[in-house]
Amino acid sequence: LPDLAAYPLVDPRGLLTPLLDGWSLDCWIVAADGRWLVPARLASVDQRLTWDGDLAVTTRADAGPLALTTRAAVPMPADGQAVCRLRVEARSDAPAWLVVSLRPYNPEGVSFVHDIAVHPDRRGWQVNRDHAVRFDAAPERFLSSQYRDGDVSLRLPHAREGPEAAACDVGMATAAALFPLTPGQASQVTVEVPLEPP
């Protein structure tokens, strides 16, 4: 966005790093029958630079009847606060979760995540007690993990019980926000991360 010093990055599979050299957000579909759609594991995805009033990177990934589209943009701020906005659309042919995952890395390497807390209104995270991640609707479930317990993805696909918040002295905390998918229906989630002022 012109005149804005902050700029997010989108990798070739749709991984979004909202803040320069920071942590990232990744999106997956995890079906109850054990199938996964993880764009990073696919041989190819469709990724385009698009314009519909805002410049955006749109990434489409599918694995048969599982389909995931993400659109990352920095819209013109209406109230003076710039945000990175990620719109996610997911579809599954079976009961599944749309997972928005917080990752302690970016395309250039590791970015330490020591602390992940769920907002009191249950519509987002506070990361490292500094940066906010906000959802337009409350997830049905939050999960997190820290280095010694392994990645939060190990708690899926059945969304096994686990802590909602994480504190990790190694800096490798991970988290997942889970939104239920109804078979045959497209579901949408919008995620926003306020950007640092210029």
Side-chain angles (χ1 to χ4, degrees):
L1 190 66
D3 299 324
L4 184 68
Y7 60 94
L9 302 174
V10 181
D11 90 343
R13 291 295 181 271
L15 179 81
L16 172 65
T17 306
L19 306 168
L20 184 63
D21 201 31
W23 39 266
S24 298
L25 297 172
D26 203 6
C27 298
W28 315 321
I29 297 175
V30 180
D33 60 15
R35 290 175 296 153
W36 291 60
L37 171 55
V38 178
R41 294 182 182 166
L42 296 179
S44 65
V45 300
D46 178 58
Q47 189 172 71
R48 299 169 189 255
L49 192 63
T50 59
W51 171 265
D52 60 1
D54 295 313
L55 190 63
V57 177
T58 300
T59 307
R60 292 183 178 89
D62 63 75
L66 303 181
L68 181 67
T69 300
T70 59
R71 180 186 181 278
V74 180
M76 293 293 286
D79 58 2
Q81 172 64 62
V83 298
C84 179
R85 180 176 295 150
L86 181 67
R87 288 194 175 137
V88 186
E89 181 176 303
R91 185 185 303 271
S92 173
D93 64 337
W97 296 105
L98 165 59
V99 179
V100 178
S101 181
L102 180 71
R103 320 301 294 156
Y105 53 78
N106 58 56
E108 297 180 338
V110 172
S111 179
F112 295 114
V113 175
H114 292 282
D115 184 80
I116 303 170
V118 175
H119 278 283
D121 65 4
R122 303 192 60 76
R123 290 179 59 175
W125 291 302
Q126 196 73 22
V127 184
N128 290 333
R129 301 180 182 168
D130 192 20
H131 296 288
V133 176
R134 301 291 293 164
F135 302 111
D136 64 341
E140 185 169 306
R141 182 173 292 172
F142 287 98
L143 293 171
S144 71
S145 191
Q146 51 99 9
Y147 176 77
R148 288 171 185 82
D149 296 326
D151 191 84
V152 71
S153 64
L154 299 175
R155 300 186 186 279
L156 304 170
H158 302 294
R160 294 197 306 264
E161 293 300 322
E164 291 189 336
C168 181
D169 56 358
V170 177
M172 297 298 286
T174 55
L178 283 72
F179 300 86
L181 295 179
T182 301
Q185 295 183 12
S187 295
Q188 295 184 344
V189 173
T190 299
V191 188
E192 291 189 343
V193 177
L195 299 176
E196 296 169 335

